[in-house]
Amino acid sequence: MIKNELTKTDLKTHDFYFDLPEELISQHAYEKRDEARLMVLDKENKTIEHKIFRDITEYLRPGDVLVINDSKVIPARIYGKKVSSGGADVEFVLLRQKELDTWEVLARPGRRLQNGTQVIFGDGKLKATILSATEDGCRIVKFDYNREGGNTLYSILDEIGKMPLPPYITAELRNNSDYQTVYAREEGSAAAPTAGLHFTEELLRKIRDMGVEIAPVMLHVGLGTFRPVKEDEIQNHVMHSEFFTVSEESAKKINEARKNGGRVIAVGTTSCRTLESSSLDDGTVIAQSADTGIFIYPGYKFKAVDMLITNFHLPESTLIMLVSALAGKDFVMSAYEKAIEERYKFFSFGDAMLIV
């Protein structure tokens, strides 16, 4: 497994705190995805521009490569009843597939779900047996269901599950597709790689027509997205492991672009972490499938990523720490202050940032 990058730093978790007015937390996706606002940060010159997301083409060049995460969010939140103990209510969020039909789940109330406990969902369409507990309090469960008629776990989740929205989104989804990128392919994420939500098929075609390659990678977004940093010393935080894949074809596109002077633009922190987990010191990206617990924060030396498209993140989160590693902590925190002043929208359905 690719572990944390333990870079020595004097920065504390509280150094990444900012006060965000609640009304700036976006509750709904943009009806037209590419009409979100775009803040452009020049990390060398420390300048800021204000644009609309579709203007991103102004900052791309022929020969560049745009790296997207094509993981697909599954309706991973399911509600059921314990088979015993009077049918107590249970909630699962599926986080990560361990084996066929065996998953790591976030389970509530966890204290009542001991090994061997059985839970039924969807009036018996799905049954789960608790196998074990993990160190961080999650559960490993085995699912069972009727496989006749081509039924799969994913098809049953489509029937009975809900999209696992982050806790700061309290409004109901207008459509499940709002929380899915237009290029989502590989089922398995417990949260959307939200920087990609701003792209439309039309904008992607325009980018391809410019001579920019698009290279998909895959990282299934898991518990780390929801986990706060509780350590005062940021380097003591341990990231939750997530599974990723870089194909031979995508690795070739990325390496050829870099060899020919093109820039590698990561769409989102998940694509960024995948690239940095798969690259050699000289920036060469290796095709592989593996787990990663890489933690990127100021002091980290980027190997593969030149530019980053991202959203505005939670205070004191690993995501704002990653962005600060690329653009500089003081510059990023001042940009966040500017975003609040200019009334940018924050978090999953909010506006975007481009670091060049």
Side-chain angles (χ1 to χ4, degrees):
M1 187 183 86
I2 297 164
K3 297 184 182 291
N4 289 356
E5 295 289 323
L6 294 178
T7 308
K8 185 170 174 55
T9 179
D10 293 327
L11 290 170
K12 311 293 185 186
T13 298
H14 192 69
D15 291 327
F16 297 90
Y17 177 80
F18 60 92
D19 191 18
L20 179 68
E22 189 174 341
E23 66 269 17
L24 296 186
I25 302 173
S26 186
Q27 293 295 313
H28 295 287
Y30 277 90
E31 288 192 18
K32 295 184 178 179
R33 293 174 180 242
D34 60 358
E35 289 187 354
R37 296 170 72 188
L38 178 69
M39 178 183 280
V40 182
L41 273 60
D42 185 322
K43 60 182 181 288
E44 300 300 328
N45 297 314
K46 308 301 182 190
T47 57
I48 294 175
E49 294 180 277
H50 303 284
K51 297 283 187 174
I52 301 300
F53 191 80
R54 59 176 171 266
D55 298 332
I56 202 161
T57 53
E58 297 175 15
Y59 301 90
L60 304 178
R61 301 193 297 245
D64 288 343
V65 59
L66 195 70
V67 181
I68 60 175
N69 179 7
D70 67 0
S71 182
K72 187 174 185 178
V73 187
I74 58 175
R77 191 181 300 276
I78 53 177
Y79 299 92
K81 302 272 187 186
K82 286 178 66 175
V83 172
S84 59
S85 304
D89 291 338
V90 173
E91 177 189 350
F92 281 4
V93 178
L94 281 70
L95 297 174
R96 176 176 176 160
Q97 187 177 25
K98 307 293 282 185
E99 298 174 16
L100 180 64
D101 296 330
T102 300
W103 281 72
E104 180 180 355
V105 304
L106 186 63
R108 296 189 182 95
R111 65 186 180 280
R112 297 182 182 176
L113 298 173
Q114 303 303 314
N115 294 356
T117 301
Q118 293 188 328
V119 185
I120 57 171
F121 303 90
D123 296 324
K125 290 181 180 177
L126 187 64
K127 184 169 76 173
T129 302
I130 308 294
L131 301 181
S132 62
T134 65
E135 289 183 3
D136 54 7
C138 293
R139 296 294 186 271
I140 305 299
V141 305
K142 175 74 172 179
F143 288 107
D144 190 28
Y145 49 90
N146 185 344
R147 291 166 174 78
E148 291 180 4
N151 267 350
T152 66
L153 178 60
Y154 292 127
S155 67
I156 293 172
L157 290 176
D158 284 339
E159 285 185 57
I160 68 173
K162 290 183 174 292
M163 295 297 263
L165 294 177
Y168 48 76
I169 295 177
T170 57
E172 286 287 320
L173 272 182
R174 292 175 297 209
N175 191 305
N176 278 0
S177 64
D178 284 350
Y179 197 56
Q180 205 80 267
T181 64
V182 296
Y183 46 73
R185 297 289 180 272
E186 299 288 337
E187 291 178 308
S189 272
T194 53
L197 295 178
H198 302 291
F199 286 95
T200 64
E201 295 283 8
E202 182 182 5
L203 180 57
L204 288 168
R205 278 195 298 272
K206 186 175 180 181
I207 289 169
R208 287 190 186 95
D209 290 346
M210 290 175 58
V212 176
E213 287 280 9
I214 296 179
V217 297
M218 188 282 294
L219 182 141
H220 285 325
V221 189
L223 186 64
T225 295
F226 304 105
R227 174 179 284 171
V229 179
K230 295 181 178 178
E231 304 284 350
D232 290 334
E233 308 283 344
I234 64 175
Q235 65 261 37
N236 293 335
H237 176 73
V238 178
M239 295 286 285
H240 197 79
S241 178
E242 294 166 312
F243 179 75
F244 74 89
T245 294
V246 179
S247 69
E248 293 279 358
E249 181 182 1
S250 288
K252 183 179 178 182
K253 283 183 179 181
I254 296 163
N255 292 331
E256 286 186 354
R258 180 176 290 281
K259 179 182 176 182
N260 294 326
R263 299 165 302 174
V264 178
I265 301 113
V267 178
T269 58
T270 58
S271 297
C272 177
R273 292 177 65 240
T274 299
L275 288 167
E276 293 299 313
S277 297
S278 303
S279 58
L280 304 178
D281 287 342
D282 66 356
T284 301
V285 173
I286 306 300
Q288 61 174 315
S289 294
D291 292 333
T292 182
I294 191 172
F295 180 18
I296 296 174
Y297 54 83
Y300 179 85
K301 303 301 182 187
F302 286 84
K303 298 173 287 189
V305 173
D306 299 305
M307 296 164 56
L308 175 67
I309 300 165
T310 189
N311 281 17
F312 291 92
H313 304 294
L314 276 73
E316 301 183 337
S317 64
T318 61
L319 306 177
I320 194 172
M321 293 172 188
L322 182 153
V323 173
S324 297
L326 184 62
K329 180 255 179 187
D330 291 343
F331 184 38
V332 167
M333 298 308 291
S334 66
Y336 269 59
E337 287 181 16
K338 189 67 175 176
I340 293 168
E341 180 185 320
E342 297 287 336
R343 313 299 286 175
Y344 276 73
K345 293 292 187 179
F346 277 65
F347 306 163
S348 297
F349 288 144
D351 293 312
M353 174 184 285
L354 170 66
I355 299 173
V356 300

